[in-house]
Amino acid sequence: MVISHKKASIDVLEKVWQRDLRTAIEKLLSFNEISECAVLLTCNRVEFYVVGKDTIQTLERFSSQFGIKKDYIEYLKNDDCLRHILRVASGLDSMMVGEDQILGQVREYYHLSEGLGGVGEILSMVFKKAINTGRKVRNLTQINQGSISIGSAAVELAEEVLNGLDGKNVLLIGAGEMGSLVANAIANRKACTVLIANRTFKKAEELAKKIGGIAVKFDRLEKCLLDSDVVISATSAPHYIIRRDLLEGVMEKREDDRGILIIDIALPRDVEESVGEIPGVILHTIDDLRAISERNLKRRLEKIPQAEKIVEEEFLNLKNMLKELRANLAISLMYSSAEKIKREEILELYNKISARYEINESILPILEDFANSFIKKFLRVPTIRLRDAAKNGRPEIIEHVEYLFGGGEFVSSNKDEKTEKRPAKGHFQGS
């Protein structure tokens, strides 16, 4: 399930932003149809990846809580979903085509979702392939060479609005990843004064030292606003950093008639929307970076076909890997089912023999060796044919084995059972 800059505005993205990742993953896993899930959050996208049965219908039920129009949501399934995550990690689906930041974000949210219990064998394989594909695309195409980021696009927008930043006072709020991108972009101009405010003052100091800026304590924010021509806010705070009442007070205290340009590139937003109504204040958000994104796309058009070719090759490779994984899970079901019966039957046979003959438990290994040999020979042909079915695109055979040997949703309604938590039908559906 995808809600991104392609269809949704910053207002919509803010509504669906998952402030509590744990709750989102637990909610998705609470649906009987879902066996794995992962969430991807960036300033331009909110995406949910799930494995299970009837995933589109389930995600539609899940998304109803957001209270947004269905037109903003894109549901992708199977091949479309696999291609999508590979393109996302490669920077081909970004507002700033070729950006590097998305690859780190895919990696970060994969590990976060894994740590919260959402990721199983299938999503682990998918996300690892996406990360490797992202690296491969950048290494072979240099699509990220001179890459423009959301941070540098914000600086470019400031230059356009103010006809350059020479002699301007720039206040950067936030010293995290996005703030660092902004700072590096400003540093290349070297014609303005840069103040950096961050709740952790040490991080502000470290970033200021790198670019020749000035670190300021967060509680001096109001004083810094008094002298600023440009404010670029890029924190990860869950609440507003700049509220209307704060900026109204600032504008009243300013000693001249200079306006102030504020560019909010945070999600959730750092700046209260009504701040843009204050006389002398110009407020821009991520939505206003689209024109710069289009120019960036034109510069990289010649790189895209080669990148798309790599994505398609890796997509086909991933499909084969998933087929093999699904066959292995079905084979595992057969053997685990046989193993359970084997133990019961060996004990029953031992009790019958020991009741009639003078034997002890030393015979148990012999009985077990016989049973193991029998199971291995008996399941050899089904194992070979399951692997062939995976290679030759016959998923219905694997489905029958899953059904017959207790896979997916057929065994029990108890979500705690291991067999229940196996990927229902082994499909990768929905994003």
Side-chain angles (χ1 to χ4, degrees):
M1 184 172 82
V2 176
I3 305 143
S4 77
H5 62 95
K6 291 189 173 181
K7 292 186 176 182
S9 67
I10 188 71
D11 293 326
V12 174
L13 288 169
E14 201 167 38
K15 283 183 181 178
V16 300
W17 182 267
Q18 301 299 298
R19 291 172 174 80
D20 188 344
L21 203 61
R22 181 184 296 277
T23 298
I25 287 176
E26 288 177 352
K27 174 68 175 176
L28 281 165
L29 289 177
S30 72
F31 292 102
N32 288 328
E33 297 85 351
I34 302 301
S35 57
E36 296 184 39
C37 65
V39 182
L40 174 61
L41 305 175
T42 77
C43 57
N44 282 319
R45 66 183 68 248
V46 175
E47 300 187 353
F48 301 90
Y49 293 85
V50 298
V51 176
K53 183 173 182 266
D54 299 328
T55 52
I56 301 297
Q57 296 91 326
T58 305
L59 286 170
E60 286 175 343
R61 284 155 56 198
F62 173 75
S63 65
S64 63
Q65 66 182 299
F66 298 145
I68 62 172
K69 291 181 180 179
K70 293 181 180 179
D71 296 345
Y72 296 129
I73 306 174
E74 189 176 6
Y75 296 99
L76 303 175
K77 184 176 178 179
N78 296 337
D79 288 1
D80 290 337
C81 185
L82 293 174
R83 280 194 181 94
H84 175 76
I85 183 60
L86 297 185
R87 295 185 81 257
V88 167
S90 300
L92 293 172
D93 199 67
S94 298
M95 179 183 283
M96 305 299 160
V97 173
E99 62 154 326
D100 282 326
Q101 292 68 50
I102 186 63
L103 183 57
Q105 290 163 333
V106 169
R107 186 187 300 108
E108 176 188 5
Y109 278 95
Y110 158 57
H111 288 304
L112 285 172
S113 298
E114 183 181 43
L116 293 171
V119 175
E121 286 181 281
I122 292 178
L123 281 183
S124 180
M125 179 176 287
V126 169
F127 270 78
K128 286 177 180 177
K129 170 58 78 173
I131 293 164
N132 288 334
T133 301
R135 289 199 200 103
K136 187 173 182 179
V137 165
R138 288 166 175 81
N139 289 337
L140 296 182
T141 69
Q142 284 79 52
I143 196 170
N144 58 329
Q145 196 170 49
S147 173
I148 191 169
S149 66
I150 295 292
S152 58
V155 176
E156 190 173 330
L157 176 61
E159 289 183 310
E160 289 182 3
V161 173
L162 300 177
N163 295 316
L165 296 179
D166 289 4
K168 298 293 192 294
N169 293 325
V170 180
L171 171 61
L172 170 59
I173 306 175
E177 181 181 6
M178 193 65 76
S180 296
L181 293 171
V182 174
N184 291 331
I186 296 174
N188 293 333
R189 275 69 177 179
K190 295 183 180 178
C192 55
T193 302
V194 183
L195 302 180
I196 302 175
N198 193 69
R199 288 200 182 276
T200 305
F201 184 62
K202 185 177 179 183
K203 288 189 73 174
E205 285 185 310
E206 291 171 353
L207 185 55
K209 185 177 180 180
K210 285 181 183 177
I211 67 157
I214 303 167
V216 295
K217 301 221 176 198
F218 206 78
D219 56 12
R220 293 188 60 222
L221 200 58
E222 184 174 357
K223 186 175 185 309
C224 294
L225 286 167
L226 284 170
D227 299 319
S228 296
D229 298 295
V230 182
V231 178
I232 302 179
S233 195
T235 79
S236 56
H239 52 74
Y240 291 132
I241 299 298
I242 300 177
R243 295 186 175 275
R244 178 168 184 153
D245 55 353
L246 169 66
L247 207 58
E248 282 179 331
V250 167
M251 297 306 288
E252 288 174 4
K253 294 175 185 176
R254 283 169 81 103
E255 297 177 354
D256 50 40
D257 294 330
R258 281 182 308 145
I260 184 170
L261 170 63
I262 300 177
I263 303 176
D264 183 2
I265 56 173
L267 188 69
R269 283 182 282 195
D270 282 343
V271 183
E272 192 171 4
E273 190 173 6
S274 61
V275 160
E277 300 170 4
I278 301 172
V281 176
I282 302 172
L283 175 62
H284 286 290
T285 66
I286 292 172
D287 287 342
D288 300 304
L289 302 179
R290 295 182 190 274
I292 295 171
S293 166
E294 290 171 7
R295 291 204 299 271
N296 171 63
L297 176 59
K298 288 177 183 178
R299 290 198 293 265
R300 286 171 172 71
L301 281 176
E302 71 277 8
K303 305 284 188 181
I304 292 176
Q306 186 184 358
E308 294 281 14
K309 183 179 178 182
I310 294 170
V311 166
E312 188 63 20
E313 290 170 353
E314 295 301 316
F315 158 72
L316 294 174
N317 180 254
L318 176 58
K319 278 192 71 174
N320 289 331
M321 291 167 64
L322 287 171
K323 287 176 184 178
E324 185 176 346
L325 174 61
R326 190 177 179 197
N328 287 339
L329 291 173
I331 291 166
S332 177
L333 278 174
M334 291 194 307
Y335 277 90
S336 61
S337 177
E339 183 70 21
K340 182 179 178 182
I341 295 170
K342 179 195 78 174
R343 291 173 184 171
E344 295 171 352
E345 292 302 311
I346 285 177
L347 287 175
E348 185 177 346
L349 178 61
Y350 169 74
N351 290 332
K352 287 180 179 178
I353 295 174
S354 62
R356 298 182 62 179
Y357 304 101
E358 293 184 3
I359 61 170
N360 54 38
E361 293 183 1
S362 63
I363 198 175
L364 285 174
I366 299 173
L367 296 176
E368 185 165 7
D369 287 344
F370 167 77
N372 287 338
S373 178
F374 178 84
I375 290 170
K376 186 176 179 180
K377 291 177 181 178
F378 183 76
L379 294 180
R380 181 176 176 274
V381 172
T383 296
I384 292 171
R385 290 188 175 176
L386 274 170
R387 296 197 192 283
D388 287 342
K391 291 177 183 177
N392 298 323
R394 301 190 62 188
E396 71 280 0
I397 293 178
I398 300 175
E399 288 177 12
H400 295 329
V401 171
E402 289 169 339
Y403 176 81
L404 291 171
F405 287 90
E409 72 281 15
F410 298 109
V411 174
S412 166
S413 60
N414 181 2
K415 288 279 283 188
D416 292 330
E417 288 192 22
K418 289 184 180 179
T419 51
E420 181 66 18
K421 289 300 290 177
R422 287 183 180 275
K425 298 290 188 294
H427 289 179
F428 180 76
Q429 300 182 344
S431 106

